Amino acid sequence: RPTVVFDNVVFGYEPDRTILHGLSFEVPAGQDVAIVGPSGAGKSTIARLLFRFYDPWSGRILIDGQDIREVTQASLRCAIGIVPQDSVLFNDTIGYNIGYGRDGATIADIEKAARGAALSGLIDRLPKRFETEVGERGLKLSGGEKQRVAIARTLVKNPPILLLDEATSALDTRTEQDILATLHEVSENRTSLSIAHRLSTIADADRIFVLNEGKLAEAGTHNELLRAD
Ligand code: ADP
Ligand code: ADP
């Protein structure tokens, strides 16, 4: 369970427009840290830097003390599993969508990931496990079920770090609560960074940072931040 550190990170997409103004925060090993802020604050930019889609102008991003610029792209992808807001599923079986046949994943791995994502109920209802297609010709999945498939797809790689990027923003409130409970469970043995624009979706985080115009405005637990309002 690694520690993730942003150390005085400065970054912008265009030379004359700084988006992140010297951002420093730590996600301690095994903890669940959340970054919340309005649209345009720079939240997704943090995710893109963590995946090295871009590198900071200055400052460093460290995983277990190592600058991510010194890590191969392949090991970075193994270390960090992302659950995005909208996952595109293949027009194929649930098993394939979770990762069957890719990266050496076995049926046992797939089933374990499906259980972790609380998909067992759906799988048990299928006539042949995993063999009913998702998509136009086959099974219709609800938004919540699709998101569970996406969570299982991430879990199958067993990443030590989870990045939840607005993972429940596209869901209705009731489904959101179900998925949040599952995400809370699957983050338990991992280091997890959640990105959200609503405080209500990150109530379980060990620590919350409020990001505004590329600066960290406040930090605390959910209750501390509510009291500060
Ligand atoms: P958030 O995720 O908090 O909504 P983003 O990190 O997506 O915010 O964006 C922060 C700022 O960076 C916004 O002002 C946005 O317009 C700008 N931005 C995002 N992506 C790009 C890009 N590829 N090129 C230029 N500007 C960008
Ligand atoms: P897979 O590795 O499961 O075949 P992809 O090829 O779609 O999936 O993506 C490879 C990796 O790139 C993902 O596992 C994730 O680490 C990263 N990635 C993909 N899309 C995004 C995104 N929108 N934001 C951040 N990282 C992403």
Side-chain angles (χ1 to χ4, degrees):
R1 297 186 296 174
T3 298
V4 177
V5 171
F6 274 60
D7 175 21
N8 208 8
V9 169
V10 179
F11 175 74
Y13 296 93
E14 293 143 12
D16 50 357
R17 189 165 166 238
T18 309
I19 301 291
L20 301 180
H21 301 263
L23 207 61
S24 297
F25 65 91
E26 178 176 328
V27 190
Q31 289 208 12
D32 187 352
V33 166
I35 293 188
V36 68
S39 176
K43 304 184 296 297
S44 300
T45 303
I46 291 173
R48 291 178 200 127
L49 292 175
L50 190 54
F51 276 106
R52 290 206 64 209
F53 293 166
Y54 303 91
D55 283 327
W57 289 348
S58 65
R60 298 175 308 161
I61 301 167
L62 310 166
I63 295 181
D64 261 352
Q66 190 176 26
D67 193 316
I68 60 171
R69 279 176 287 206
E70 290 157 12
V71 176
T72 64
Q73 196 64 35
S75 54
L76 198 58
R77 282 172 174 228
C78 284
I80 309 167
I82 182 167
V83 180
Q85 177 174 347
D86 286 304
S87 301
V88 180
L89 298 187
F90 300 109
N91 226 316
D92 205 300
T93 65
I94 292 180
Y96 182 83
N97 271 288
I98 295 175
Y100 184 62
R102 278 180 280 147
D103 301 332
T106 64
I107 284 283
D109 295 333
I110 304 282
E111 286 184 340
K112 185 164 173 247
R115 276 198 305 278
L119 264 173
S120 309
L122 177 67
I123 289 159
D124 292 343
R125 271 190 276 128
L126 301 179
K128 271 184 155 191
R129 276 195 228 202
F130 300 124
E131 291 181 16
T132 300
E133 288 201 12
V134 174
E136 287 152 37
R137 287 163 297 151
L139 191 64
K140 289 273 178 288
L141 296 185
S142 68
E145 286 167 336
K146 280 187 197 158
Q147 204 55 344
R148 290 186 188 285
V149 172
I151 293 166
R153 172 190 286 178
T154 298
L155 290 183
V156 79
K157 298 177 195 166
N158 204 17
I161 302 168
L162 272 185
L163 176 64
L164 310 178
D165 189 0
E166 303 273 6
T168 60
S169 300
L171 305 171
D172 62 79
T173 318
R174 166 93 188 289
T175 311
E176 177 167 58
Q177 289 309 315
D178 290 346
I179 301 284
L180 285 173
T182 299
L183 288 173
H184 186 58
E185 265 171 46
V186 306
S187 337
E188 212 131 85
N189 284 309
R190 301 169 210 270
T191 302
S192 143
L193 178 63
S194 302
I195 289 172
H197 64 275
R198 280 186 295 139
L199 208 49
S200 62
T201 64
I202 48 171
D204 290 330
D206 296 307
R207 191 165 182 78
I208 297 168
F209 292 98
V210 179
L211 185 69
N212 211 346
E213 292 177 3
K215 296 185 188 106
L216 288 178
E218 291 167 81
T221 62
H222 188 246
N223 280 338
E224 287 165 357
L225 289 176
L226 286 182
R227 255 179 266 133
D229 271 351

